[in-house]
Amino acid sequence: MSVLVYQTFEIKQDKYKEAINNLREIKKFRNDHYDQNVEILTPVTGEDHTYSFLTTYEGLAEMELQGKKMFEDEEYIKLIGEFFLENIVQGSMYTQIFRTLSEKESDKKGNKK
């Protein structure tokens, strides 16, 4: 089962351009260096400066392993530190973890009822 991590955060209005550039760097770095898929979600409705990361992992163990690797990586720590300290509103990050629902055995074999 895949695990999806959904993180929302509010970008400081006076740091909008810097925050967007930093988000793109974080996404590229994580997609290039780690076994995960990161997407940046932009608001269509709701709070205008609330953005999100949606990260997909192969499973819980993979999420834990990737997290450990990222927080041991000095280059990643520098990227994420700048983002947290300079570009988002303190206390605005909210993280949810979801997993996909597995298919029934009959659906896997093509025996749909």
Side-chain angles (χ1 to χ4, degrees), residues 35-106:
D35 190 18
Q36 54 193 252
N37 180 36
V38 178
E39 292 294 335
I40 301 168
L41 306 179
T42 62
V44 175
T45 63
E47 301 292 326
D48 288 338
H49 289 87
T50 299
Y51 283 69
S52 303
F53 277 129
L54 181 62
T55 308
T56 305
Y57 299 92
E58 290 181 20
L60 285 171
E62 189 62 30
M63 180 188 78
E64 290 290 332
L65 178 63
Q66 293 299 317
K68 184 178 185 306
K69 287 179 182 179
M70 287 188 305
F71 288 101
E72 291 175 349
D73 185 327
E74 294 293 326
E75 191 175 351
Y76 179 72
I77 294 298
K78 182 179 177 192
L79 274 175
I80 202 77
E82 177 184 327
F83 178 68
F84 282 125
L85 295 174
E86 298 177 19
N87 298 319
I88 70 166
V89 174
Q90 184 177 355
S92 70
M93 182 164 274
Y94 181 71
T95 303
Q96 294 178 286
I97 300 174
F98 299 91
R99 66 177 167 212
T100 57
L101 184 63
S102 61
E103 295 180 32
K104 296 187 312 188
E105 273 306 306
S106 61

Side-chain angles (χ1 to χ4, degrees), residues 13-28:
Q13 290 184 14
D14 62 330
K15 295 286 191 169
Y16 183 78
K17 183 178 179 184
E18 296 90 342
I20 295 300
N21 289 336
N22 194 228
L23 282 172
R24 288 181 174 136
E25 288 177 36
I26 291 168
K27 174 186 173 180
K28 181 172 179 9

